[in-house]
């Protein structure tokens, strides 16, 4: 009785959350530019409706009375309780202040980044940090502040566990990176890549990787993203006439996110567990699609032939060279442009800095200096300007503290999944070399994707692979792959 | 105090209504086809939120205590009270049954139309009529049932007034139609009209007629429509390679609807009066743009030159012939394909039949026979199949009883507006002949469009023209225009 009431309430809330999410899609893809002001009021009205539903006192009564009948009901109740606790613990006034300040901070961040002026942004960012610490205190009820924020993105994870995992990653990543940068570099792509042809091929790749276009669509936007769940999961991509890999690999990445949502058990549709288990697991799907599968030398061989047929000369002569080009490792300042090896070093830097900010051990006024010193230590080069350093990411301006580590967690999870998949599928490499993803996708769905948020992130991985997730498989995979590609 | 609370509540409701409306736009333009089931749940959840807000008991308290300070506040309160009364008078259970049955009826209607089988649809339509009669009784509290339904579309109008107006229209329309059909017919258009070029020209026409694309957009859809209000008003169009007029005139029609919404006083944005006054006034804007302005012989002259430049030979030799082609009057069964003269005869037929259905004087089982008999009487030809007769329109299946008469009311209103505009603008014809709409649009905005729903439909017209609306100007205009075109 209480369960039925809870789930009916939650389904309606989820339907409204889908509507609010689609407003975001609309804003980034088709909204007339003059509609921004009105849209802000529409979004605020939807958020108010959602907050009222999530903190509805009736939920408290039902949650107190409910006895879940099985694992699925227990998971649904767990998710409803988490959302209810969050909505009721954070005072409405604080939530409103966070919404207002982060909305202003986004504009201030963009202006400061354009002007390469961190000092101009620091006072606003200090406000954001202070408000997020206040929110964390409300959520933590005496526990660790950063852990409290982390639960929004990776329920069940702790900073201490992540610190241990990341500590084990760092030395082997650094050693691998240094060996690669000392070796001869692969050639860059040259050629002509008309944007319409890139989009055609992006569509072909999306379908190859299992994206169901009858329940999704591909549009262009400034930033690639995936949006929605269940029967309406949309992705965006972008084109750069000089760099088709940007379009193709960002499309495959978003298809990883989108197909995860599309492949959740339809019985869970529009319910609390009818979506990805955590940001880390979500990122594991986008990453295994993009990296372990689509950047494998085997798949690169297929892509080489397909791109030659579509675009003509690529400035790269053999499939072997092409595989090296797809996996170029070069020095750089920007996380989002980074490669499989260095990407996690960018994330580890942010993880340590944001923990210090939330703990109160680092002040925003000292953040740029701390960033630059740490970057020099980790990458051996001096950050020349803030837009290539502390101002490069939007996350902190919008209050996303606790989000960054899930990027590396996703890579670690992808490493675990790929190890298990490769052990189960002896023909995987041969399949990839002819552009056949069928077996890989068929392996992932029943083990992981279909279960949605039935279990938390780490448990989802344990269920899929039979082992608790660790960093070892990712490191082994990177060392083997790049060792072979670079002849180390 | 009560007023401030009412208007703040209403603004948020309106913001949510815009979101719900945009879901409808999304569904008709970009939604993946597999998302229909989930979308129905999303729409139902939004409707439930909106219904709860519109029937919020707090509104009753505020409405009882409010004293509007001026004309604008009085109009806002009138609109809020109307929505509150409607939401509280119709039992929630009845509203839910109507939503469910009309949703099913839409599919049944489409299937029956495809099969030309009215009998297959009749039982479901009988359910719809019974439920709408029940709703009308709840709304009418003892008054006329049809009048109660009419208020949803044309507040303040009565069936008796419309009957008198339509009675005066009919004989002169019939006489004009008969004289035209006895005269030599103009040639049809021939030529090649690539769809991309049609869409380019539709965009050009939309901007010419004042559509602000920074607060709107044009997409293609199966049926042309306008959607949204304030800063985000979108239209759709469609193309037929053999008939560019379909695209051009439906675009101008929807631009009439859309610019009306765009030109309402921004101070009323997202408030109850921040939109068109009634369906009749809305249709007056779409019709005066499409017919009195864009189908005038003067504008046809400009369009002739523009289309020749864009598409080459049109199979019509002179601007005079082209104006006759734009205004072809031919026998036909379908309302939406009809011309300015016969269109209203189609509407009058539906008005009488739907009044009889709601009054209980006509049974659904007898509807097809009644339709066919009446069509023969009004048009002199026998309806060969239901898809060309009683099954041609979707309206009744979705419960839109009381909507049809607003089409003709819109034409009557457009006639009144055009008479006043032409009297004020001696250069109007010369302007139209060079494709210059500036003066016509500048005349409409301050007199009518800017006021939104400050006044009801008839009062909006009286304020704009200085006279209560009557059918005389429309008839005078039609007789003069078609008399000259057909040399009667």
């Amino acid at each position: 009785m209480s369960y039925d009431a809870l789930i009916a309430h939650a389904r309606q809330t989820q339907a409204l959350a889908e509507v609010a999410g689609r407003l975001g899609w609309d804003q980034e893809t088709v909204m007339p530019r003059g509609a921004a002001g009105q849209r802000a009021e529409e979004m605020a009205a939807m958020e108010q409706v959602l907050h009222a539903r999530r903190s509805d006192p009736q939920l408290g009564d039902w949650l107190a009375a409910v006895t879940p009948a099985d694992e699925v009901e227990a998971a649904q109740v767990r998710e409803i309780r988490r959302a209810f606790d969050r909505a009721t613990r954070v005072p409405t006034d604080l939530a409103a202040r966070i919404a207002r300040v982060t909305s202003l901070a986004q504009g201030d961040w963009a202006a400061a980044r354009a002007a390469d002026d961190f000092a101009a942004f620091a006072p606003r960012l200090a406000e954001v940090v202070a408000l997020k610490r206040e929110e964390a205190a409300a959520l933590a009820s005496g526990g660790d502040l950063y852990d409290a924020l982390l639960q929004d993105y990776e329920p069940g994870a702790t900073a201490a566990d992540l610190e241990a995992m990341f500590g084990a990653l760092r030395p082997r990543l650094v050693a691998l990176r240094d060996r690669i940068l000392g070796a001869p570099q692969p050639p860059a792509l040259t050629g002509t890549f008309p944007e319409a042809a890139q989009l055609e091929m992006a569509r072909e790749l999306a379908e190859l990787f299992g994206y169901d276009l009858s329940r999704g669509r591909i549009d262009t936007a400034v930033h690639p993203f995936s949006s929605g769940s269940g029967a309406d999961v949309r992705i965006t991509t972008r084109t750069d006439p000089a760099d088709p890999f940007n379009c193709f690999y960002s499309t495959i990445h978003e298809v990883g996110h989108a197909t995860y949502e599309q492949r959740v058990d339809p019985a869970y549709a529009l319910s609390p567990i009818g979506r990805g288990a955590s940001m880390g697991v979500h990122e594991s799907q986008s990453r295994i699609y993009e990296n372990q599968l689509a950047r494998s030398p085997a798949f690169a061989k297929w892509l080489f032939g397909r791109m030659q047929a579509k675009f003509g000369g690529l400035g790269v002569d053999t499939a072997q060279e092409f595989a090296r080009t797809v996996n170029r490792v070069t020095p750089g300042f920007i996380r989002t442009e980074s490669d499989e090896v260095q990407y996690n070093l960018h994330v580890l830097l942010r993880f340590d800095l944001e923990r210090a900010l939330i703990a109160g051990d680092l002040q925003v006024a000292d953040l740029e200096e701390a960033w630059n010193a740490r970057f020099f230590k980790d990458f051996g080069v001096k950050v020349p300007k803030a837009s290539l350093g502390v101002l490069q990411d939007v996350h902190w301006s919008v209050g996303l503290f606790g989000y960054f580590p899930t990027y590396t967690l996703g890579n670690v999870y992808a490493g675990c999944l790929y190890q298990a998949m490769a052990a189960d599928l002896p023909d995987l490499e041969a399949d990839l070399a002819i552009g056949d993803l069928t077996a890989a996708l068929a392996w992932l769905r029943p083990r992981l994707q279909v279960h949605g948020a039935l279990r938390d992130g780490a448990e989802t991985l344990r269920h899929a692979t039979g082992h608790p997730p660790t960093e070892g498989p990712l490191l082994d995979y990177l060392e083997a792959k790049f060792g072979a590609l670079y002849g180390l």
Side-chain angles (χ1 to χ4, degrees), chain A:
Chain A
M1 185 62 196
S2 291
Y3 180 78
D4 292 345
L6 276 172
I7 201 76
H9 190 280
R11 282 182 64 88
Q12 233 180 343
T13 306
Q14 189 55 36
L16 295 168
E18 289 294 314
V19 174
R22 202 158 307 108
L23 273 190
W25 172 87
D26 185 279
Q27 184 161 341
E28 301 299 323
T29 55
V30 295
M31 186 182 81
R33 67 177 189 282
Q38 178 171 320
R39 177 58 54 91
E41 292 204 50
E42 294 169 10
M43 295 277 236
M46 286 300 293
E47 281 310 315
Q48 189 156 328
V49 167
L50 285 166
H51 182 266
R53 288 190 67 87
R54 289 183 179 131
S55 58
D56 187 339
Q58 278 196 301
L59 288 175
D61 300 339
W62 292 329
L63 283 167
V66 72
T67 314
D70 56 26
E71 184 191 15
V72 168
E73 292 194 7
Q76 302 282 25
V77 169
R78 180 198 70 216
E79 293 298 315
I80 295 168
R81 179 169 284 129
R82 193 199 315 283
F84 176 73
D85 286 349
R86 199 195 193 293
T88 49
R89 277 182 190 174
V90 179
T92 307
D93 171 59
L94 176 59
R97 277 186 296 147
I98 291 174
R100 197 167 53 244
V101 170
T102 54
S103 164
L104 294 169
Q106 232 180 313
D108 293 348
W109 164 77
R113 188 176 67 154
D116 268 313
D117 184 357
F118 179 73
F121 179 54
R124 183 71 77 191
L125 182 58
E127 277 188 83
V128 175
V129 171
L131 288 169
K132 289 301 286 188
R133 295 187 70 210
E134 203 177 327
E135 183 186 53
L139 291 169
S141 28
D144 182 77
L145 295 188
Y146 188 82
D147 280 353
L149 297 178
L150 193 53
Q151 303 316 302
D152 280 352
Y153 314 108
E154 196 66 28
T158 68
D161 288 346
L162 292 176
E163 189 177 16
M165 178 185 276
F166 294 173
L169 273 175
R170 188 190 319 277
R172 284 171 67 183
L173 286 178
V174 168
L176 178 60
R177 190 260 321 266
D178 291 349
R179 285 197 295 153
I180 292 171
L181 292 181
Q185 287 296 304
L189 219 56
T190 60
T192 311
F193 309 99
E195 293 176 272
Q198 287 191 37
L199 291 175
E200 276 172 27
M201 181 131 182
R203 205 176 166 86
E204 178 186 335
L205 289 166
E207 295 200 85
L208 191 68
F209 278 84
Y211 186 43
D212 177 359
L213 279 160
S214 79
R215 299 182 297 136
R217 54 180 289 128
I218 308 176
D219 295 88
T220 53
V222 175
H223 300 288
F225 64 90
S226 167
S227 161
S229 70
D232 195 345
V233 189
R234 306 176 184 189
I235 65 169
T236 64
T237 188
R238 62 182 169 195
T239 55
D240 172 348
D243 178 11
F245 289 151
N246 189 317
C247 173
F248 300 161
Y249 282 99
S250 77
T251 299
I252 295 170
H253 180 99
E254 299 309 332
V255 163
H257 285 299
T259 55
Y260 183 18
E261 294 291 337
Q262 287 187 329
R263 289 162 162 243
V264 171
D265 191 335
Y268 302 165
L270 289 186
S271 84
I273 67 169
R275 53 193 154 86
S278 71
M279 298 309 297
V281 180
H282 239 297
E283 194 71 7
S284 79
Q285 299 306 289
S286 60
R287 287 293 176 169
I288 196 171
Y289 279 51
E290 176 189 358
N291 289 335
Q292 278 86 355
L293 298 173
R295 280 201 173 92
S296 65
F299 186 78
K301 186 180 163 191
W302 176 84
L303 185 63
F304 180 61
R306 192 68 200 84
M307 281 183 67
Q308 279 183 318
K310 184 110 190 161
F311 299 103
L314 305 173
V316 174
D317 296 328
T318 67
Q320 289 70 25
E321 275 300 286
F322 185 80
R324 283 161 46 79
T325 299
V326 163
N327 288 286
R328 276 167 70 89
V329 177
T330 49
F333 296 99
I334 301 293
R335 174 184 59 85
T336 56
E337 297 170 2
S338 189
D339 49 79
E340 276 187 89
V341 179
Q342 299 183 91
Y343 188 91
N344 297 304
L345 296 174
H346 288 277
V347 172
L348 270 45
L349 176 157
R350 288 157 180 74
F351 173 62
D352 290 335
L353 292 178
E354 73 177 20
R355 281 174 72 207
L357 285 170
I358 294 300
D361 298 337
L362 173 63
Q363 301 309 308
V364 170
D366 304 321
L367 178 60
E368 184 173 26
E369 204 186 316
W371 177 292
N372 292 347
R374 171 67 182 266
F375 195 87
F376 186 78
K377 185 162 163 263
D378 285 4
F379 293 86
V381 282
K382 287 198 168 159
V383 174
K385 51 186 184 179
S387 59
L388 292 177
V390 66
L391 286 180
Q392 71 182 265
D393 292 309
V394 72
H395 300 58
W396 290 337
S397 73
V398 291
L400 294 178
F401 291 88
Y403 190 109
F404 276 124
T406 67
Y407 288 131
T408 284
L409 203 54
N411 288 328
V412 165
Y413 289 171
C416 300
L417 289 166
Y418 186 69
Q419 186 188 55
M421 179 193 289
D424 285 351
L425 303 177
D427 297 332
L428 180 57
E429 211 173 315
D431 285 350
L432 293 175
I434 56 167
D436 184 350
L437 276 296
T438 321
L441 301 180
W443 188 92
L444 278 171
R445 190 176 186 208
R447 286 169 183 78
L448 188 143
Q449 294 168 333
V450 76
H451 303 297
L454 182 64
R455 308 176 182 90
D456 74 17
E459 269 304 297
T460 296
L461 260 287
R462 204 196 50 72
H463 179 86
T465 65
H467 308 287
T470 63
E471 69 287 349
L474 174 66
L475 289 164
D476 295 345
Y477 151 79
L478 290 173
E479 287 166 353
K481 172 176 169 179
F482 286 89
L485 281 170
Y486 279 80
L488 305 175

